[in-house]
Amino acid sequence: MSSLIRKSAITPIKSPLFILLLNLLLVSNISYGQSLFDTFGGQTTTRSGSPSDFTSSQLVTERIHRISESRRIFILTNSNQGFSRGDYISLVLDNDLAVRALVAETTDDNLAGIKILQIYSLTLWNRLREGRQVQVIRGDDTAFRLARQDQQSEDRGIIQDERDLFDEMTFLENDLIFGEDGNREINQDNIVSVYLGLIEGIDNDGTTRRYNQLNGSWSYQFQDNIWVEAAYGRTVINDFPNPQLDTTFTNMTLKVKYTVSAPFHSYVKPYIGYQILDATAPGAGEPDGTLTPEELDAELRRLENLKKSELIFGVTGLKRLVPGWFIRGDFGSDAISIGLALEF
């Protein structure tokens, strides 16, 4: 009996059922290892994919119809009906993300007004122009951003959290270029300016001389691209009309201007108007015991020659620096000047 037990203990198990179970166990272990590898491999492939792999349902092509002066509001075509009011979208230019936006309004003629919420790339944002075609991602753009490993971090995320986002209640009618405001080169109605000008006058010897003068003005757009501007300037001329006197020299102008758009966010405004120059010098022409009557009369003549009332014409140039602010230059028969302007 003991020999039979020892013999069975060392005899290999040749049961077909056992061999089958053993093979299934080994195969399952190999299959599991391959599946785990493929899973990580698949994730890596997804993250390093190209944005060009996006399907037409994820990426549609539209055209920029209009851009507001502030560049916060864009009007896009919606010919593909790829997005609707309340959707979050991203604009893609040259196969890279440019901006993130909210669709604020759509129209029956396949146009959509969007408001920029986040700028991914300042370079691409500055290249967005009216008439340019862009690609649009509706909804989450995370997969697209993961596919762009070379995205420059300094060009991303001007808006960092939801507190910086705009909701559709902050939209103003003037922001969306639907209707009459679309005919205006400058949407705002008011511009105030401060500028330093050179005003033509005369010296004590009667020769022509230009005087520095600080001016302030207010312009109002009463019809599309037609402005009326009132300006006032003042300076003190020392030692005029003689070395013992000073003269207060004032400049008042009223102009009508027309706005024409120019390249590089600039505007040209030809104008015509009327100018009144006035001069006052307390004590001029009054006897003081040191001047002869002829010299006193010459004082008064020089003072009167400084005064002027006449029609004027010229051109004003505005170059946008940042939204709302311009650098201003004037070249006209009334003055040559340069300064800053603010629209509101």
Side-chain angles (χ1 to χ4, degrees):
M1 174 65 70
S2 61
S3 63
L4 290 174
I5 294 175
R6 287 194 297 271
K7 183 176 181 180
S8 62
I10 61 175
T11 301
I13 300 174
K14 297 182 179 181
S15 170
L17 180 60
F18 176 79
I19 294 174
L20 178 60
L21 291 175
L22 182 61
N23 289 333
L24 287 175
L25 179 62
L26 293 175
V27 170
S28 65
N29 287 337
I30 295 173
S31 300
Y32 177 76
Q34 182 65 35
S35 175
L36 185 63
F37 180 85
D38 289 343
T39 300
F40 281 100
Q43 289 179 348
T44 303
T45 302
T46 300
R47 291 180 61 88
S48 61
S50 170
S52 61
D53 295 336
F54 275 57
T55 64
S56 59
S57 63
Q58 296 170 295
L59 209 60
V60 296
T61 300
E62 299 293 349
R63 183 174 58 84
I64 300 175
H65 182 63
R66 292 298 298 270
I67 300 176
S68 71
E69 293 297 326
S70 65
R71 293 186 64 83
R72 292 186 306 159
I73 308 301
F74 284 48
I75 306 302
L76 298 181
T77 62
N78 191 16
S79 55
N80 294 285
Q81 296 295 311
F83 44 88
S84 56
R85 181 178 181 180
D87 285 342
Y88 288 91
I89 63 173
S90 299
L91 301 188
V92 177
L93 182 64
D94 294 339
N95 212 29
D96 204 352
L97 285 170
V99 296
R100 185 74 168 158
L102 172 69
V103 180
E105 191 62 73
T106 58
T107 66
D108 294 335
D109 53 351
N110 293 332
L111 291 177
I114 67 171
K115 188 157 190 175
I116 305 303
L117 303 181
Q118 183 174 359
I119 299 173
Y120 288 122
S121 170
L122 288 172
T123 301
L124 294 179
W125 180 66
N126 288 325
R127 289 173 56 191
L128 295 175
R129 296 286 184 270
E130 292 179 3
R132 182 182 287 271
Q133 285 191 334
V134 293
Q135 292 176 298
V136 181
I137 301 174
R138 177 185 178 184
D140 188 11
D141 61 7
T142 303
F144 192 98
R145 288 189 287 113
L146 290 176
R148 295 294 298 176
Q149 294 295 328
D150 59 345
Q151 184 78 29
Q152 296 295 323
S153 60
E154 61 269 19
D155 284 340
R156 306 170 75 106
I158 288 180
I159 297 178
Q160 299 295 336
D161 55 49
E162 65 275 6
R163 291 176 299 175
D164 298 322
L165 302 181
F166 302 95
D167 59 47
E168 59 181 317
M169 298 303 294
T170 65
F171 280 81
L172 302 177
E173 290 183 3
N174 289 339
D175 285 338
L176 296 176
I177 314 176
F178 293 122
E180 291 184 356
D181 288 346
N183 298 322
R184 295 186 173 190
E185 300 298 342
I186 299 176
N187 284 330
Q188 303 294 342
D189 288 332
N190 300 275
I191 295 179
V192 293
S193 306
V194 176
Y195 50 95
L196 183 65
L198 292 175
I199 308 298
E200 186 176 288
I202 61 170
D203 208 343
N204 282 327
D205 58 4
T207 59
T208 300
R209 178 179 175 182
R210 289 188 177 271
Y211 295 98
N212 294 329
Q213 189 176 74
L214 185 64
N215 292 262
S217 70
W218 169 63
S219 299
Y220 178 73
Q221 185 172 205
F222 64 94
Q223 286 190 5
D224 289 353
N225 301 320
I226 302 177
W227 299 73
V228 61
E229 179 181 273
Y232 177 79
R234 181 181 181 275
T235 191
V236 174
I237 304 175
N238 297 320
D239 301 326
F240 183 89
N242 70 46
Q244 287 76 40
L245 297 176
D246 293 334
T247 296
T248 300
F249 190 30
T250 60
N251 172 30
M252 293 175 286
T253 59
L254 185 65
K255 304 174 183 177
V256 177
K257 301 183 176 183
Y258 185 81
T259 304
V260 179
S261 181
F264 307 108
H265 304 290
S266 301
Y267 305 92
V268 177
K269 305 176 77 170
Y271 66 81
I272 186 171
Y274 196 77
Q275 179 185 47
I276 299 175
L277 297 177
D278 193 22
T280 57
E286 298 178 2
D288 61 355
T290 62
L291 299 177
T292 66
E294 290 78 11
E295 291 174 329
L296 293 175
D297 290 340
E299 279 185 1
L300 294 177
R301 285 196 302 270
R302 286 193 290 270
L303 201 61
E304 289 299 317
N305 289 337
L306 199 59
K307 301 177 182 180
K308 189 185 302 183
S309 298
E310 62 180 4
L311 288 172
I312 55 174
F313 58 88
V315 63
T316 298
L318 295 176
K319 171 67 174 69
R320 189 176 296 281
L321 298 176
V322 294
W325 285 93
F326 302 91
I327 185 171
R328 166 182 173 153
D330 298 87
F331 185 82
S333 59
D334 55 318
I336 300 173
S337 62
I338 188 168
L340 293 174
L342 171 67
E343 64 176 351
F344 62 96

